[in-house]
PDB file of all heavy atoms in Angstrom:
ATOM      1  N   ASP A   8     -71.654  52.389 -42.010  1.00  0.00           N
ATOM      2  CA  ASP A   8     -70.950  53.145 -43.040  1.00  0.00           C
ATOM      3  C   ASP A   8     -69.462  53.135 -42.719  1.00  0.00           C
ATOM      4  O   ASP A   8     -69.050  53.542 -41.624  1.00  0.00           O
ATOM      5  CB  ASP A   8     -71.453  54.592 -43.092  1.00  0.00           C
ATOM      6  CG  ASP A   8     -72.856  54.689 -43.668  1.00  0.00           C
ATOM      7  OD1 ASP A   8     -73.191  53.885 -44.551  1.00  0.00           O
ATOM      8  OD2 ASP A   8     -73.625  55.571 -43.229  1.00  0.00           O
ATOM      9  N   ILE A   9     -68.654  52.661 -43.652  1.00  0.00           N
ATOM     10  CA  ILE A   9     -67.215  52.576 -43.459  1.00  0.00           C
ATOM     11  C   ILE A   9     -66.538  53.697 -44.247  1.00  0.00           C
ATOM     12  O   ILE A   9     -66.631  53.749 -45.479  1.00  0.00           O
ATOM     13  CB  ILE A   9     -66.669  51.207 -43.924  1.00  0.00           C
ATOM     14  CG1 ILE A   9     -67.449  50.063 -43.257  1.00  0.00           C
ATOM     15  CG2 ILE A   9     -65.179  51.112 -43.624  1.00  0.00           C
ATOM     16  CD1 ILE A   9     -67.374  50.054 -41.749  1.00  0.00           C
ATOM     17  N   GLN A  10     -65.893  54.588 -43.527  1.00  0.00           N
ATOM     18  CA  GLN A  10     -65.216  55.716 -44.163  1.00  0.00           C
ATOM     19  C   GLN A  10     -63.794  55.318 -44.553  1.00  0.00           C
ATOM     20  O   GLN A  10     -63.036  54.790 -43.740  1.00  0.00           O
ATOM     21  CB  GLN A  10     -65.200  56.918 -43.229  1.00  0.00           C
ATOM     22  CG  GLN A  10     -66.578  57.461 -42.922  1.00  0.00           C
ATOM     23  CD  GLN A  10     -66.555  58.696 -42.033  1.00  0.00           C
ATOM     24  OE1 GLN A  10     -65.500  59.108 -41.563  1.00  0.00           O
ATOM     25  NE2 GLN A  10     -67.711  59.286 -41.817  1.00  0.00           N
ATOM     26  N   THR A  11     -63.457  55.553 -45.804  1.00  0.00           N
ATOM     27  CA  THR A  11     -62.120  55.237 -46.311  1.00  0.00           C
ATOM     28  C   THR A  11     -61.607  56.422 -47.130  1.00  0.00           C
ATOM     29  O   THR A  11     -62.384  57.311 -47.505  1.00  0.00           O
ATOM     30  CB  THR A  11     -62.151  53.993 -47.232  1.00  0.00           C
ATOM     31  OG1 THR A  11     -62.584  54.390 -48.546  1.00  0.00           O
ATOM     32  CG2 THR A  11     -63.095  52.918 -46.698  1.00  0.00           C
ATOM     33  N   PRO A  12     -60.302  56.451 -47.449  1.00  0.00           N
ATOM     34  CA  PRO A  12     -59.773  57.508 -48.317  1.00  0.00           C
ATOM     35  C   PRO A  12     -60.401  57.496 -49.714  1.00  0.00           C
ATOM     36  O   PRO A  12     -60.328  58.495 -50.443  1.00  0.00           O
ATOM     37  CB  PRO A  12     -58.276  57.188 -48.380  1.00  0.00           C
ATOM     38  CG  PRO A  12     -57.994  56.441 -47.119  1.00  0.00           C
ATOM     39  CD  PRO A  12     -59.231  55.621 -46.891  1.00  0.00           C
ATOM     40  N   ARG A  13     -61.023  56.402 -50.083  1.00  0.00           N
ATOM     41  CA  ARG A  13     -61.643  56.287 -51.403  1.00  0.00           C
ATOM     42  C   ARG A  13     -63.146  56.562 -51.360  1.00  0.00           C
ATOM     43  O   ARG A  13     -63.835  56.415 -52.376  1.00  0.00           O
ATOM     44  CB  ARG A  13     -61.387  54.891 -51.978  1.00  0.00           C
ATOM     45  CG  ARG A  13     -59.921  54.626 -52.270  1.00  0.00           C
ATOM     46  CD  ARG A  13     -59.688  53.195 -52.778  1.00  0.00           C
ATOM     47  NE  ARG A  13     -60.384  52.922 -54.016  1.00  0.00           N
ATOM     48  CZ  ARG A  13     -59.932  53.216 -55.238  1.00  0.00           C
ATOM     49  NH1 ARG A  13     -58.762  53.828 -55.369  1.00  0.00           N
ATOM     50  NH2 ARG A  13     -60.630  52.923 -56.318  1.00  0.00           N
ATOM     51  N   GLY A  14     -63.657  56.940 -50.209  1.00  0.00           N
ATOM     52  CA  GLY A  14     -65.083  57.217 -50.069  1.00  0.00           C
ATOM     53  C   GLY A  14     -65.699  56.404 -48.951  1.00  0.00           C
ATOM     54  O   GLY A  14     -65.024  55.611 -48.286  1.00  0.00           O
ATOM     55  N   THR A  15     -66.989  56.614 -48.730  1.00  0.00           N
ATOM     56  CA  THR A  15     -67.722  55.916 -47.681  1.00  0.00           C
ATOM     57  C   THR A  15     -68.538  54.787 -48.297  1.00  0.00           C
ATOM     58  O   THR A  15     -69.230  54.988 -49.298  1.00  0.00           O
ATOM     59  CB  THR A  15     -68.647  56.884 -46.922  1.00  0.00           C
ATOM     60  OG1 THR A  15     -67.845  57.916 -46.337  1.00  0.00           O
ATOM     61  CG2 THR A  15     -69.402  56.165 -45.814  1.00  0.00           C
ATOM     62  N   PHE A  16     -68.452  53.604 -47.693  1.00  0.00           N
ATOM     63  CA  PHE A  16     -69.114  52.428 -48.250  1.00  0.00           C
ATOM     64  C   PHE A  16     -70.066  51.809 -47.228  1.00  0.00           C
ATOM     65  O   PHE A  16     -69.754  51.717 -46.041  1.00  0.00           O
ATOM     66  CB  PHE A  16     -68.081  51.406 -48.711  1.00  0.00           C
ATOM     67  CG  PHE A  16     -67.261  51.885 -49.863  1.00  0.00           C
ATOM     68  CD1 PHE A  16     -66.089  52.607 -49.635  1.00  0.00           C
ATOM     69  CD2 PHE A  16     -67.668  51.663 -51.170  1.00  0.00           C
ATOM     70  CE1 PHE A  16     -65.339  53.077 -50.700  1.00  0.00           C
ATOM     71  CE2 PHE A  16     -66.924  52.130 -52.234  1.00  0.00           C
ATOM     72  CZ  PHE A  16     -65.752  52.841 -52.004  1.00  0.00           C
ATOM     73  N   GLU A  17     -71.213  51.368 -47.716  1.00  0.00           N
ATOM     74  CA  GLU A  17     -72.239  50.736 -46.894  1.00  0.00           C
ATOM     75  C   GLU A  17     -71.929  49.251 -46.762  1.00  0.00           C
ATOM     76  O   GLU A  17     -71.802  48.542 -47.763  1.00  0.00           O
ATOM     77  CB  GLU A  17     -73.609  50.947 -47.546  1.00  0.00           C
ATOM     78  CG  GLU A  17     -74.781  50.478 -46.709  1.00  0.00           C
ATOM     79  CD  GLU A  17     -76.105  50.791 -47.370  1.00  0.00           C
ATOM     80  OE1 GLU A  17     -76.202  50.700 -48.617  1.00  0.00           O
ATOM     81  OE2 GLU A  17     -77.060  51.130 -46.655  1.00  0.00           O
ATOM     82  N   VAL A  18     -71.791  48.791 -45.512  1.00  0.00           N
ATOM     83  CA  VAL A  18     -71.451  47.402 -45.246  1.00  0.00           C
ATOM     84  C   VAL A  18     -72.448  46.821 -44.244  1.00  0.00           C
ATOM     85  O   VAL A  18     -72.816  47.475 -43.272  1.00  0.00           O
ATOM     86  CB  VAL A  18     -70.016  47.280 -44.678  1.00  0.00           C
ATOM     87  CG1 VAL A  18     -69.686  45.833 -44.338  1.00  0.00           C
ATOM     88  CG2 VAL A  18     -69.003  47.831 -45.677  1.00  0.00           C
ATOM     89  N   PHE A  19     -72.883  45.606 -44.502  1.00  0.00           N
ATOM     90  CA  PHE A  19     -73.808  44.908 -43.607  1.00  0.00           C
ATOM     91  C   PHE A  19     -73.058  43.746 -42.967  1.00  0.00           C
ATOM     92  O   PHE A  19     -72.330  43.030 -43.649  1.00  0.00           O
ATOM     93  CB  PHE A  19     -75.028  44.424 -44.382  1.00  0.00           C
ATOM     94  CG  PHE A  19     -75.794  45.544 -45.016  1.00  0.00           C
ATOM     95  CD1 PHE A  19     -75.541  45.926 -46.335  1.00  0.00           C
ATOM     96  CD2 PHE A  19     -76.740  46.249 -44.290  1.00  0.00           C
ATOM     97  CE1 PHE A  19     -76.228  46.978 -46.917  1.00  0.00           C
ATOM     98  CE2 PHE A  19     -77.432  47.309 -44.865  1.00  0.00           C
ATOM     99  CZ  PHE A  19     -77.172  47.678 -46.173  1.00  0.00           C
ATOM    100  N   MET A  20     -73.226  43.576 -41.667  1.00  0.00           N
ATOM    101  CA  MET A  20     -72.444  42.603 -40.917  1.00  0.00           C
ATOM    102  C   MET A  20     -73.331  41.614 -40.174  1.00  0.00           C
ATOM    103  O   MET A  20     -74.381  41.975 -39.660  1.00  0.00           O
ATOM    104  CB  MET A  20     -71.539  43.323 -39.913  1.00  0.00           C
ATOM    105  CG  MET A  20     -70.627  44.359 -40.529  1.00  0.00           C
ATOM    106  SD  MET A  20     -69.594  45.185 -39.283  1.00  0.00           S
ATOM    107  CE  MET A  20     -68.730  46.379 -40.310  1.00  0.00           C
ATOM    108  N   LYS A  21     -72.866  40.366 -40.131  1.00  0.00           N
ATOM    109  CA  LYS A  21     -73.596  39.329 -39.414  1.00  0.00           C
ATOM    110  C   LYS A  21     -72.658  38.156 -39.157  1.00  0.00           C
ATOM    111  O   LYS A  21     -71.789  37.856 -39.979  1.00  0.00           O
ATOM    112  CB  LYS A  21     -74.807  38.867 -40.229  1.00  0.00           C
ATOM    113  CG  LYS A  21     -75.774  37.957 -39.492  1.00  0.00           C
ATOM    114  CD  LYS A  21     -76.996  37.656 -40.363  1.00  0.00           C
ATOM    115  CE  LYS A  21     -78.002  36.776 -39.663  1.00  0.00           C
ATOM    116  NZ  LYS A  21     -79.175  36.465 -40.512  1.00  0.00           N
ATOM    117  N   GLY A  22     -72.861  37.480 -38.022  1.00  0.00           N
ATOM    118  CA  GLY A  22     -72.068  36.304 -37.697  1.00  0.00           C
ATOM    119  C   GLY A  22     -70.890  36.617 -36.801  1.00  0.00           C
ATOM    120  O   GLY A  22     -70.585  37.774 -36.506  1.00  0.00           O
ATOM    121  N   LYS A  23     -70.203  35.566 -36.358  1.00  0.00           N
ATOM    122  CA  LYS A  23     -69.029  35.685 -35.507  1.00  0.00           C
ATOM    123  C   LYS A  23     -67.917  34.809 -36.065  1.00  0.00           C
ATOM    124  O   LYS A  23     -68.168  33.806 -36.721  1.00  0.00           O
ATOM    125  CB  LYS A  23     -69.358  35.269 -34.080  1.00  0.00           C
ATOM    126  CG  LYS A  23     -70.373  36.161 -33.381  1.00  0.00           C
ATOM    127  CD  LYS A  23     -70.634  35.676 -31.964  1.00  0.00           C
ATOM    128  CE  LYS A  23     -71.653  36.568 -31.266  1.00  0.00           C
ATOM    129  NZ  LYS A  23     -71.930  36.114 -29.871  1.00  0.00           N
ATOM    130  N   GLY A  24     -66.700  35.203 -35.752  1.00  0.00           N
ATOM    131  CA  GLY A  24     -65.558  34.431 -36.220  1.00  0.00           C
ATOM    132  C   GLY A  24     -64.608  35.282 -37.025  1.00  0.00           C
ATOM    133  O   GLY A  24     -64.606  36.521 -36.932  1.00  0.00           O
ATOM    134  N   GLU A  25     -63.779  34.621 -37.842  1.00  0.00           N
ATOM    135  CA  GLU A  25     -62.830  35.332 -38.687  1.00  0.00           C
ATOM    136  C   GLU A  25     -63.579  36.111 -39.770  1.00  0.00           C
ATOM    137  O   GLU A  25     -64.640  35.681 -40.246  1.00  0.00           O
ATOM    138  CB  GLU A  25     -61.850  34.349 -39.326  1.00  0.00           C
ATOM    139  CG  GLU A  25     -60.936  33.657 -38.321  1.00  0.00           C
ATOM    140  CD  GLU A  25     -60.076  34.656 -37.570  1.00  0.00           C
ATOM    141  OE1 GLU A  25     -59.449  35.521 -38.233  1.00  0.00           O
ATOM    142  OE2 GLU A  25     -60.033  34.577 -36.327  1.00  0.00           O
TER     143      GLU A  25
END
Side-chain angles (χ1 to χ4, degrees):
D8 289 326
I9 307 300
Q10 296 182 355
T11 81
R13 294 177 61 84
T15 300
F16 294 88
E17 187 176 37
V18 177
F19 300 94
M20 304 179 183
K21 190 175 181 181
K23 296 180 180 180
E25 294 299 311

